[in-house]
Amino acid sequence: MAPARLIHREPLPFARSPRSTLGVEWELQLVDRDSLDLRQCAAEILREVGPDENIHGEMMLNTVELVSGARRTVAECVEDIAHAYDRLLPVTQPLRVELASAGTHPFADPLVQKVTDSERYERLVDRTRLWGHQMLIFGTHVHVGIEDRDKALPILKALLTRTAHLQCLSASSPFWAGEDTGYADNRAMMFQQLPTAGAPHQLGTWEELEAYAGDMIHTGVIEDFTEVRWDVRPSPRLGTVEVRACDAATNLTELAGIAALTQCMVEDFSRRLDRGEELDSMPDWYVDENKWRSARYGMGAILITDSAGNEELVTDTVRRMLTELEPVAADLGCEAELAGVAATLDAGASYQRQLAAVGAAGGAHEAAVRLLLAEVRAGRPLTPSEVLSLGA
């Protein structure tokens, strides 16, 4: 008889994917030009756009998702997304709808948002009730190709030693329904309320992953593996590891920076495996603590960096990572995009810029929305002086 944990094993064939190729997904908010609130018109926009491999619907009708193709460089991914953005404008502008993004909208009411007419999403909301209705969140997802299935889980676990650093850099959700939450990344706190969301189980073998998937399907928790919404997960269908922990970037410079840093880390871990090295991993309780610290404190977080429990200010770790990964970035052709991470270190993360804009505007959360609109148009994070000027 098979061991109990393998009884319901679900085969998960891992697709062949060229090493360190990548794909980027960016969720955008549909913002009313006059009220600066969200508009629930995704169905109308997508119908007008027509079939487009780079423009997709999402769970909420206030959201569209821009998706790159599977590319070799970050620049190619960003080009795909920029062109898709441009294709949306002739449709959204006559509707007086603007495109912006961040992990949450600064003041929209989560309980009045409508869900896309899809059996998949309706089933999720029916099961999760109030929490499902409150998924007014927006993210950035980065897929990186893994050429050998046996590398997928070790790389996933190694990424969990740095996922919180990505979360800090991308943190753009300090507000919830018009309230200052005191968190840099409130999106992370909201999303983990869903079943199968949050930090992943750190499994030792692919067979254990298949057993997990089989158990979840057998007990009706999921219908297929794509409904596992971990912060970092393998994507067997695509042959990638997917990092899903990041808030939606507010501009293309920071989107490219997150993508480049993720691609470089995966390639660096892959090279270490090729040399026969064992990748470091942290116990689940360290991973969970880092996730909370990054959500709460953002760029001021002191994070656990390794299995030994050493700790360091996130910005110090990131600056060192940028230096250490320079040779990898040169090989991957993403040196300029990786250097863009320094723009976040210099200007502060989005949550800091939003808080500054609202403070300069005397507490008016509309100032944060105006900031998001300005940054997506500029394609970069605004400087502190520009943020204060905008808020005033």
Side-chain angles (χ1 to χ4, degrees), residues 130-144:
L130 179 66
W131 286 117
H133 277 287
Q134 296 207 64
M135 289 299 111
L136 187 58
I137 54 178
F138 307 84
T140 295
H141 301 164
V142 181
H143 288 264
V144 184

Side-chain angles (χ1 to χ4, degrees), residues 30-32 37-42 61-63 95-97:
L30 302 173
V31 177
D32 184 86
D37 204 345
L38 292 174
R39 282 272 295 277
Q40 303 184 57
C41 56
L61 285 174
N62 52 46
T63 311
L95 298 174
R96 300 188 66 78
V97 170

Side-chain angles (χ1 to χ4, degrees), residues 22-33:
L22 78 164
V24 178
E25 303 168 4
W26 189 29
E27 293 173 350
L28 293 177
Q29 303 175 13
L30 302 173
V31 177
D32 184 86
R33 186 179 302 167

Side-chain angles (χ1 to χ4, degrees), residues 54-76:
N54 302 119
I55 303 174
H56 298 169
E58 254 298 330
M59 179 175 172
M60 294 292 185
L61 285 174
N62 52 46
T63 311
V64 293
E65 182 181 50
L66 304 187
V67 180
S68 77
R71 304 301 185 193
R72 291 198 172 275
T73 69
V74 175
E76 291 170 327

Side-chain angles (χ1 to χ4, degrees), residues 316-335:
D316 291 343
T317 308
V318 170
R319 290 188 190 280
R320 186 174 66 256
M321 290 169 61
L322 294 179
T323 299
E324 293 172 349
L325 291 171
E326 281 179 357
V328 178
D331 292 342
L332 295 174
C334 64
E335 296 161 287

Side-chain angles (χ1 to χ4, degrees), residues 29 56 69 80 98 109 112 184 198 205 212 218-219 227-229 242 263 279 317 372 385:
Q29 303 175 13
H56 298 169
D80 280 352
E98 301 288 346
D109 184 346
V112 302
T205 67
Y212 166 83
H218 177 76
T219 54
E227 294 182 0
V228 174
R229 299 176 174 91
E242 180 186 9
Q263 184 190 31
L279 301 182
T317 308
L372 302 182
S385 60

Side-chain angles (χ1 to χ4, degrees), residues 21-293:
T21 51
L22 78 164
V24 178
E25 303 168 4
W26 189 29
E27 293 173 350
L28 293 177
Q29 303 175 13
L30 302 173
V31 177
D32 184 86
R33 186 179 302 167
D34 303 303
S35 68
L36 300 182
D37 204 345
L38 292 174
R39 282 272 295 277
Q40 303 184 57
C41 56
E44 180 181 355
I45 289 170
L46 294 170
R47 187 164 53 248
E48 184 67 23
V49 168
D52 191 311
E53 64 182 3
N54 302 119
I55 303 174
H56 298 169
E58 254 298 330
M59 179 175 172
M60 294 292 185
L61 285 174
N62 52 46
T63 311
V64 293
E65 182 181 50
L66 304 187
V67 180
S68 77
R71 304 301 185 193
R72 291 198 172 275
T73 69
V74 175
E76 291 170 327
C77 289
V78 172
E79 184 178 19
D80 280 352
I81 287 173
H83 287 166
Y85 181 94
D86 289 342
R87 291 197 296 276
L88 278 173
L89 295 181
V91 177
T92 58
Q93 288 179 343
L95 298 174
R96 300 188 66 78
V97 170
E98 301 288 346
L99 301 171
S101 206
T104 58
H105 184 277
F107 65 82
D109 184 346
L111 295 181
V112 302
Q113 309 303 319
K114 296 179 181 178
V115 176
T116 298
D117 185 12
S118 161
E119 180 182 349
R120 174 188 177 98
Y121 295 134
E122 288 176 358
R123 187 173 66 250
L124 173 65
V125 172
D126 180 66
R127 181 169 188 242
T128 56
R129 308 307 292 172
L130 179 66
W131 286 117
H133 277 287
Q134 296 207 64
M135 289 299 111
L136 187 58
I137 54 178
F138 307 84
T140 295
H141 301 164
V142 181
H143 288 264
V144 184
I146 306 290
E147 82 281 10
D148 182 348
R149 189 193 75 178
D150 290 342
K151 287 183 172 182
L153 294 182
I155 287 176
L156 181 153
K157 288 189 282 188
L159 281 168
L160 291 178
T161 69
R162 294 294 181 268
T163 305
H165 298 77
L166 293 171
Q167 190 178 324
C168 291
L169 288 166
S170 68
S172 58
S173 51
F175 302 113
W176 185 254
E179 296 291 333
D180 181 348
T181 64
Y183 282 75
D185 182 8
N186 193 58
R187 169 187 169 272
M189 297 292 94
M190 296 303 302
F191 193 42
Q192 69 181 7
Q193 307 306 320
L194 295 184
T196 76
H201 296 292
Q202 298 191 67
L203 303 172
T205 67
W206 196 260
E207 290 72 24
E208 288 180 289
L209 182 69
E210 292 178 327
Y212 166 83
D215 284 347
M216 295 297 100
I217 292 170
H218 177 76
T219 54
V221 179
I222 61 175
E223 291 201 351
D224 62 68
F225 189 72
T226 63
E227 294 182 0
V228 174
R229 299 176 174 91
W230 291 338
D231 294 339
V232 186
R233 70 179 182 185
S235 181
R237 180 175 59 87
L238 298 175
T240 65
V241 62
E242 180 186 9
V243 175
R244 302 164 49 86
C246 295
D247 279 7
T250 65
N251 58 84
L252 286 179
T253 295
E254 291 182 298
L255 180 72
I258 289 293
L261 186 53
T262 304
Q263 184 190 31
C264 287
M265 284 195 294
V266 172
E267 173 61 23
D268 181 54
F269 293 143
S270 190
R271 292 181 181 187
R272 296 186 194 188
L273 290 173
D274 290 343
R275 294 195 295 266
E277 297 179 21
E278 182 176 349
L279 301 182
D280 192 30
S281 61
M282 299 195 304
D284 292 337
W285 46 94
Y286 283 179
V287 174
D288 291 341
E289 174 63 15
N290 268 357
K291 180 181 174 72
W292 185 84
R293 290 186 190 183

